[in-house]
Amino acid sequence: MGQRSSQFTEEELQDYQDLTYFTKKEVMHAHMKFKALAPEKVGHNRNAKLPMNKVLQYPELRVNPFGDRICKVFSTSQDGDCTFEDFLDMMSVFSDSTPKSVKAEHAFRIFDFDGDDMLGVSDLKEIIDRLTSPQKLNDNEMTHLIQNILAEADLDDDGALSFAEFEHVIDKSPDFANSFRIQL
């Protein structure tokens, strides 16, 4: 069988394999997908950084109501732009072989809009708004839904969900791992 030429050395591929939940072949496939988002920019520049609007053209991110948050959480820059390594980390966490606990940690960060390490009322409101868009719940419906979420999941009654409380909810959700995935 013929070998594909790669922009990566064997050692680099091994490092990527060691640092992700991907095989070397999947790393190469991820790079092909990244390059396809902006071939003119990535070309032979492995260190190219794609603007978030280019990364959001990836089919599963384009239709995801949290696509922008996903880019921001995985980006090493403040603006949500992504390098190949950022993209690889993102795709690795969303892969089928990633442990549920790792997925839960990243889901929490995606949903923590204000970055205070808690999912408070404003975070829950933003999550619900994004999930129900374009329809919006009225104020009473929103308040009622948030009260129900907190009554069920806020074990210490502090008005917000900590990571431990969020993880507890995730543990009871059998299809979380299947819904928190992106096909490479």
Side-chain angles (χ1 to χ4, degrees):
M1 294 224 160
Q3 284 281 39
R4 263 180 158 171
S5 68
S6 169
Q7 288 186 300
F8 304 108
T9 67
E10 190 60 35
E11 289 139 57
E12 288 170 324
L13 284 172
Q14 185 62 51
D15 287 344
Y16 286 141
Q17 181 177 336
D18 292 344
L19 295 170
T20 65
Y21 297 98
F22 285 144
T23 63
K24 291 176 190 175
K25 184 178 178 182
E26 289 169 322
V27 169
M28 299 277 290
H29 187 67
H31 188 260
M32 183 188 75
K33 293 287 191 171
F34 181 73
K35 190 175 180 178
L37 292 170
E40 73 289 349
K41 187 159 180 136
V42 177
H44 292 290
N45 179 5
R46 291 185 325 178
N47 300 316
K49 186 184 281 192
L50 298 185
M52 186 190 320
N53 66 344
K54 284 284 192 187
V55 178
L56 288 173
Q57 293 307 304
Y58 197 80
E60 284 88 344
L61 292 175
R62 188 179 321 130
V63 298
N64 190 313
F66 301 98
D68 63 318
R69 287 291 303 158
I70 292 168
C71 287
K72 286 181 181 172
V73 164
F74 285 94
S75 175
T76 50
S77 66
Q78 291 294 98
D79 53 13
D81 293 354
C82 287
T83 64
F84 170 64
E85 289 182 0
D86 296 337
F87 182 79
L88 187 64
D89 287 343
M90 175 194 323
M91 298 309 284
S92 176
V93 167
F94 280 95
S95 74
D96 289 333
S97 54
T98 303
K100 192 175 183 180
S101 62
V102 173
K103 289 179 178 283
E105 177 186 332
H106 285 82
F108 186 84
R109 290 179 52 213
I110 291 164
F111 297 151
D112 183 14
F113 288 88
D114 59 15
D116 67 353
D117 293 327
M118 298 291 283
L119 298 184
V121 171
S122 65
D123 295 316
L124 295 173
K125 183 179 183 327
E126 181 68 24
I127 293 165
I128 294 164
D129 278 344
R130 287 179 180 230
L131 290 173
T132 59
S133 182
Q135 282 79 32
K136 295 286 184 191
L137 299 182
N138 67 40
D139 289 342
N140 288 340
E141 293 169 327
M142 180 66 75
T143 300
H144 184 70
L145 182 54
I146 290 173
Q147 285 173 344
N148 285 344
I149 291 168
L150 292 174
E152 180 73 26
D154 183 15
L155 303 176
D156 61 6
D157 291 323
D158 66 351
L161 302 181
S162 65
F163 175 67
E165 291 166 328
F166 178 77
E167 196 170 33
H168 182 71
V169 170
I170 295 302
D171 285 342
K172 294 192 300 187
S173 174
D175 37 327
F176 167 74
N178 287 334
S179 62
F180 197 80
R181 62 184 257 241
I182 294 176
Q183 199 64 32
L184 183 60

